[in-house]
Amino acid sequence: MTTTARSTTSPPVATPPRRKRPPLAPYLFILPYLLIFATFWAWPIVSSFLMSFKDSRLGAAAPYGLSNWSRLVQDEFFRTALRNTLVILVIQVPLMLSLATVLAVALNSKLLKAAGLFRFAFFAPLVVGTVAYSAVFRLLFNTDFGIVNRALTGLGLPAVDWLNQSGPAMSVLILAMTWRWTGYNAIILLAGLQGISEDVYEAAAIDGATPAQQFWKITLPLLRPTLLFCLVLSVIGTLQLFTEPALITNSGPGNSTMTLGTYLYQQGFRSFNFGYASAIAYTVAAIAAIFSVLQLRLFGREQ
Amino acid sequence: MTAAPVAPPTAGVRAQRRLNAALLYVALVPLALLFLAPLWIMLVFSTQPETAIFSPNPPLWFGGAFAENFRGLQADTNFLRTLLNSTMIASIYTVLSMLLTSMGGYAFAKFEFPGKGPLFGLILATLTIPAFVTIIPQFILVARDLQIGNTYWAVILPTLANTIGIFYMRQAFQTVPTDLLNAARIDGANEWRIFWQIALPIVRPALAALAILLFLASWNDYLWPLIVLTQKDSYTMPVALGTLVGLTRVSWGGIMVGTAIATIPFLALFLALQRHFVAGIAGGAVKD
């Protein structure tokens, strides 16, 4: 596949006084990427927007209008999905990023021996696929034979009906996502930490700064761009949450863990209501954009 | 005459340091075990019969039911077929996406040309657009316009132009000295040859890291294959496992075998190539 494009036999041309030729090569290098990018990314972004103004249930000849959008603002299932997604976002992302920051600092510490072992423990979940770990978490939190309830009753605590009550079901999702993604963020933060010069800490230590002071006054401020990057990516990822609520809680009980992702899937690929699903998709994009701007404003100063 | 050496730590400082180290372990060891526990249970349960998984005292060590669980899984999902599909899709995707992103990244890193800034800006801008937005037009394109639903290409094509990948390769190629490329130009090598035989070999470590990440992403992808693959024999491994998890009567032993088979090769690879893995993820994620 890759060798067919190889053509190495053009005659060497000596052009001593360098003349400006129209640069064709860079365009040829970018062309394959751009073709795919335009077909499967750029055009769909536009197309999805147009589709959100068409009632796809009426067929191709349907007029453009606001019917999907007016339905969206009145749709209580949509409101439930939006609220659930935001609740998960507001709890899970800060929880995960704080844990990831602390972990990255701990793993970066010179006091830690066998750092490789610890790195393996915390980073191992990031090679596990979302389907695989969703299955494992569904099994772990099973009410009747799940290991978590076995451990709770073993400690003399009451068992919890994890997946059949809205609050506990939500916490299982949050725990699962935290387990899966903390290590990923910790790696990125660890790389950010290693970019901070030793000298800064040595100077601070000479001035008598305690480790806690060093963390708040040096590490966090210098890590801010990396944290911002993790934050933006995590927010976009969580807004598209699909696999975990689909496979761990099946959006239930009731619709109490239905997310924008599972609702979009249901509207788009169960009811084949493409126009309405596109309106949901663009709402996700709009929320992502608002969050990105907010985050840049709040945390992105000086950058 | 020599500069005064840093004073050796006093007994008090050393004791404090030991205490800090101890506190670090007290916090990290239980947390590490908690992070490893789900993986451990997945591995153990894949080797245990259903009766043991559902017993009041679930086992925490390996049993002998792996083959039996695997047979059940194979009967339910044609698991070997889905493994073949996943392997083919992830391999083709990885090779093609690496070629596309390294060619593009090379052009953005090593050429000046009209339109470079706006083009790069356009690609950059789409990074913050959730992939969700494109999923419905992509589905229509693949299933209706191109009529390639249920094929490998339906899964591969829409995700081929990996945005993170082109940034990553651009950064990698920026480390290649331009003088080296110019020297080859003076020797009369054409641009493709310079790219293929000089620039690409230099960034081989970056390519290796990118390859692992692309393969893993494709191997674990769920939503898109779930949408475009509607026939059992074209399922990828995650889609097949997903259909099992959704059932009311769930065969957990089989599912744990499937998840273990999907995960173990990468855990092993991760153990062996930890540094490249970490460097790859960090390098791919952090922008300049």
Side-chain angles (χ1 to χ4, degrees):
Chain A
M1 196 80 229
T2 58
T3 47
T4 51
R6 187 187 287 207
S7 67
T8 52
T9 47
S10 82
V13 233
T15 48
R18 205 167 270 229
R19 282 206 300 116
K20 280 272 176 199
R21 277 185 304 170
L24 189 61
Y27 295 110
L28 290 178
F29 273 106
I30 297 177
L31 192 66
Y33 182 93
L34 274 190
L35 279 178
I36 299 278
F37 177 80
T39 315
F40 290 103
W41 251 105
W43 163 244
I45 289 171
V46 179
S47 167
S48 181
F49 185 68
L50 298 176
M51 230 183 293
S52 74
F53 293 100
K54 234 175 184 179
D55 190 338
S56 49
R57 290 171 303 181
L58 302 176
Y64 285 96
L66 290 171
S67 61
N68 290 322
W69 292 97
S70 57
R71 179 181 162 194
L72 198 67
V73 289
Q74 294 161 10
D75 182 351
E76 67 173 285
F77 294 112
F78 171 74
R79 269 202 295 274
T80 305
L82 179 63
R83 193 181 49 234
N84 292 341
T85 307
L86 292 180
V87 166
I88 294 172
L89 183 80
V90 165
I91 298 174
Q92 198 268 333
V93 173
L95 178 77
M96 173 183 68
L97 289 185
S98 325
L99 185 57
T101 309
V102 172
L103 269 185
V105 170
L107 292 175
N108 201 32
S109 166
K110 279 196 215 55
L111 295 174
L112 194 69
K113 299 281 184 295
L117 274 179
F118 284 106
R119 267 209 302 268
F120 177 73
F122 293 116
F123 297 165
L126 67 90
V127 301
V128 181
T130 46
V131 171
Y133 92 84
S134 296
V136 173
F137 270 76
R138 183 161 170 171
L139 180 59
L140 294 179
F141 285 91
N142 185 293
T143 305
D144 300 320
F145 53 82
I147 270 213
V148 176
N149 272 352
R150 293 275 161 72
L152 286 179
T153 48
L155 294 168
L157 295 165
V160 179
D161 196 3
W162 290 105
L163 301 177
N164 297 311
Q165 300 178 64
S166 52
M170 201 67 119
S171 17
V172 172
L173 290 186
I174 288 169
L175 276 175
M177 291 164 68
T178 306
W179 181 81
R180 172 65 175 77
W181 292 104
T182 300
Y184 177 81
N185 288 286
I187 284 192
I188 300 173
L189 290 166
L190 192 57
L193 281 179
Q194 284 163 355
I196 301 175
S197 159
E198 263 322 296
D199 303 349
V200 191
Y201 289 104
E202 272 165 29
I206 288 167
D207 290 345
T210 65
Q213 283 172 329
Q214 291 180 19
F215 177 78
W216 292 106
K217 297 270 165 66
I218 300 173
T219 308
L220 272 191
L222 288 177
L223 208 53
R224 202 171 61 192
T226 320
L227 267 169
L228 179 68
F229 178 78
C230 290
L231 184 63
V232 171
L233 280 198
S234 303
V235 167
I236 294 174
T238 310
L239 285 173
Q240 306 184 73
L241 184 62
F242 172 76
T243 312
E244 291 88 341
L247 290 182
I248 301 179
T249 59
N250 200 9
S251 288
N255 286 317
S256 64
T257 55
M258 180 171 70
T259 59
L260 291 171
T262 53
Y263 192 49
L264 183 146
Y265 179 80
Q266 187 197 321
Q267 287 299 321
F269 302 102
R270 287 274 174 255
S271 313
F272 291 100
N273 195 348
F274 292 143
Y276 194 53
S278 298
I280 299 169
Y282 253 90
T283 312
V284 173
I287 299 171
I290 293 169
F291 268 107
S292 297
V293 170
L294 267 180
Q295 286 158 6
L296 283 170
R297 280 277 160 80
L298 288 174
F299 306 107
R301 285 161 288 158
E302 295 158 34
Q303 268 300 295
Chain B
M1 283 296 114
T2 52
V6 180
T10 64
V13 168
R14 256 180 287 140
Q16 180 66 42
R17 203 175 281 172
R18 261 204 299 276
L19 181 69
N20 286 344
L23 284 176
L24 200 59
Y25 287 109
V26 167
L28 279 186
V29 170
L31 200 58
L33 292 177
L34 218 52
F35 266 74
L36 286 174
L39 287 173
W40 181 253
I41 287 166
M42 170 183 86
L43 295 181
V44 166
F45 278 15
S46 71
T47 66
Q48 292 287 354
E50 306 258 304
T51 48
I53 295 176
F54 300 152
S55 75
N57 283 309
L60 295 173
W61 192 252
F62 299 100
F66 185 87
E68 176 197 325
N69 287 338
F70 183 84
R71 274 196 297 276
L73 177 68
Q74 173 64 21
D76 285 345
T77 60
N78 196 358
F79 193 69
L80 291 174
R81 174 68 203 238
T82 68
L83 272 182
L84 173 74
N85 291 340
S86 277
T87 310
M88 290 297 291
I89 287 172
S91 307
I92 298 171
Y93 168 76
T94 303
V95 170
L96 288 184
S97 186
M98 274 168 63
L99 188 67
L100 252 58
T101 55
S102 57
M103 282 169 68
Y106 177 69
F108 280 124
K110 287 293 159 199
F111 286 102
E112 290 305 325
F113 54 92
K116 174 175 160 174
L119 260 182
F120 197 66
L122 181 72
I123 296 172
L124 186 93
T126 63
L127 197 62
T128 55
I129 295 180
F132 255 25
V133 170
T134 58
I135 219 163
I136 285 163
Q138 280 175 348
F139 172 74
I140 295 173
L141 210 55
V142 164
R144 193 189 64 194
D145 300 344
L146 300 174
Q147 296 282 336
I148 53 169
N150 282 310
T151 66
Y152 291 166
W153 294 110
V155 184
I156 293 168
L157 278 177
T159 45
L160 212 48
N162 186 296
T163 320
I164 298 264
I166 201 166
F167 286 109
Y168 182 69
M169 288 319 295
R170 172 175 161 266
Q171 257 183 309
F173 280 116
Q174 274 167 347
T175 64
V176 176
T178 309
D179 289 346
L180 194 66
L181 308 178
N182 283 335
R185 279 188 190 113
I186 288 165
D187 288 345
N190 72 31
E191 293 296 341
W192 176 260
R193 188 169 172 177
I194 294 170
F195 165 72
W196 192 255
Q197 295 189 340
I198 298 172
L200 212 51
I202 294 177
V203 298
R204 202 180 287 149
L207 274 176
L210 181 67
I212 296 175
L213 294 181
L214 291 176
F215 192 92
L216 192 59
S218 177
W219 179 261
N220 283 331
D221 195 14
Y222 178 58
L223 180 57
W224 180 245
L226 174 71
I227 289 170
V228 291
L229 304 175
T230 52
Q231 277 159 19
K232 226 179 157 189
D233 273 348
S234 64
Y235 280 174
T236 58
M237 180 271 308
V239 176
L241 283 179
T243 60
L244 288 189
V245 178
L247 298 175
T248 21
R249 200 216 146 271
V250 179
S251 153
W252 283 113
I255 292 175
M256 289 303 115
V257 166
T259 54
I261 291 177
T263 310
I264 289 172
F266 292 100
L267 278 179
L269 197 68
F270 183 61
L271 258 179
L273 301 174
Q274 215 189 84
R275 289 200 176 277
H276 296 285
F277 231 116
V278 172
I281 287 167
V286 182
K287 294 172 293 178
D288 42 60

